[in-house]
């Protein structure tokens, strides 16, 4: 299997139910994958750019795992992208990431019904993909269809039944993510 790099962009994975469960399941199934938890590596948001770029260079498959935040990635992951994906490294005539596969995996707090043209968000989840696709295109990355799960909210976190349901949703998400990684990493 090819080298798999998973960048966890959750700003505080210790408070997560879904993203933490997804990463735990992926680690069990793909023990060879490198998982970089940005929240624990860089609690001060001061990135070791050289280390992050070295990890990206080793990877054949890059997975960005995060909770959807304001219709995109959380600030921690966006800042990581801003600092690490520098001209001459990720893109430009001397870009070094071309040909690697990029898979975006995320959870949303709002349910699927909210992400409809006639729903509260006025857009489908897929309507938010162009920013990720354009980033991949700029860097000559092979953009894969994203894996996502709707409706994993922070509401009712004191309800064991809700937490168990979220964990089940997360395990289902992880199974889809693992299957996709295995399919593109052969």
């Amino acid at each position: 299997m090819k080298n798999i790099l998973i960048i966890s962009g959750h700003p505080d994975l210790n408070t997560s139910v879904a993203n933490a469960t997804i990463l735990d399941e992926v680690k069990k199934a793909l023990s060879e994958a490198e998982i970089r938890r940005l929240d624990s590596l860089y609690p001060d948001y001061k990135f070791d750019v050289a280390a992050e770029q070295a990890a990206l260079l080793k990877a054949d498959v890059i997975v960005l795992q995060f909770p959807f935040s304001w219709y995109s990635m959380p600030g921690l992951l966006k800042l990581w992208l801003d600092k690490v994906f520098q001209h001459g490294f990720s893109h430009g005539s001397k870009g070094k990431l071309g040909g690697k596969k990029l898979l975006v995996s995320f959870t949303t707090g709002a349910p699927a019904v909210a992400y409809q043209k006639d729903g509260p968000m006025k857009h489908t989840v897929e309507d938010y993909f162009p920013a990720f696709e354009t980033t991949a295109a700029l860097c000559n990355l092979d953009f894969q269809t994203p894996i996502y799960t709707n409706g994993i909210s922070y509401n009712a976190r004191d309800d064991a039944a809700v937490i168990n349901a979220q964990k089940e949703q997360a395990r289902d998400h992880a199974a889809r993510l693992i299957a996709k990684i295995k399919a593109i990493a052969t």
Side-chain angles (χ1 to χ4, degrees):
M1 186 170 283
K2 296 183 178 178
N3 292 323
I4 301 159
L5 174 65
I6 301 169
I7 304 296
S8 168
H10 194 293
D12 185 2
L13 205 56
N14 293 325
T15 64
S16 171
V17 171
N19 278 260
T21 300
I22 291 165
L23 290 172
D24 288 345
E25 293 294 313
V26 169
K27 190 60 178 173
K28 283 187 239 173
L30 302 170
S31 60
E32 71 280 6
E34 180 182 358
I35 299 176
R36 297 184 68 79
R37 283 188 50 178
L38 298 182
D39 67 323
S40 61
L41 287 170
Y42 307 109
D44 59 0
Y45 284 41
K46 294 180 181 170
F47 303 103
D48 181 341
V49 172
E52 295 305 308
Q53 289 179 344
L56 287 162
L57 289 175
K58 288 190 310 188
D60 299 301
V61 175
I62 302 163
V63 179
L64 302 179
Q65 176 63 51
F66 56 92
F68 210 48
S69 177
W70 289 105
Y71 316 104
S72 187
M73 60 183 71
L76 173 64
L77 186 56
K78 176 61 168 81
L79 184 60
W80 175 87
L81 189 74
D82 289 346
K83 299 293 184 181
V84 175
F85 277 54
Q86 298 172 357
H87 185 269
F89 170 73
S90 62
H91 61 287
S93 62
K94 296 182 182 178
K96 299 175 177 131
L97 299 181
K100 297 175 186 292
K101 296 181 185 320
L102 176 65
L103 177 57
V104 176
S105 170
F106 59 91
T107 58
T108 73
V113 69
Y115 287 100
Q116 305 299 322
K117 296 288 184 188
D118 60 350
M121 307 305 180
K122 305 292 184 206
H123 293 278
T124 66
V125 171
E126 291 80 6
D127 287 342
Y128 298 100
F129 291 178
F132 303 119
E133 291 173 308
T134 304
T135 299
L138 178 66
C139 299
N140 291 315
L141 293 164
D142 182 4
F143 185 73
Q144 305 295 303
T145 302
I147 305 285
Y148 65 91
T149 299
N150 296 112
I152 301 184
S153 176
Y154 282 94
N155 294 334
R157 283 289 172 93
D158 56 348
D159 183 328
V162 170
I163 292 170
N164 287 334
Q166 289 178 355
K167 285 182 179 180
E168 189 56 39
Q169 285 179 285
R171 284 190 286 273
D172 174 70
H173 180 112
R176 291 183 288 124
L177 179 58
I178 291 161
K180 180 71 171 188
I181 291 170
K182 285 181 176 179
I184 64 176
T186 55

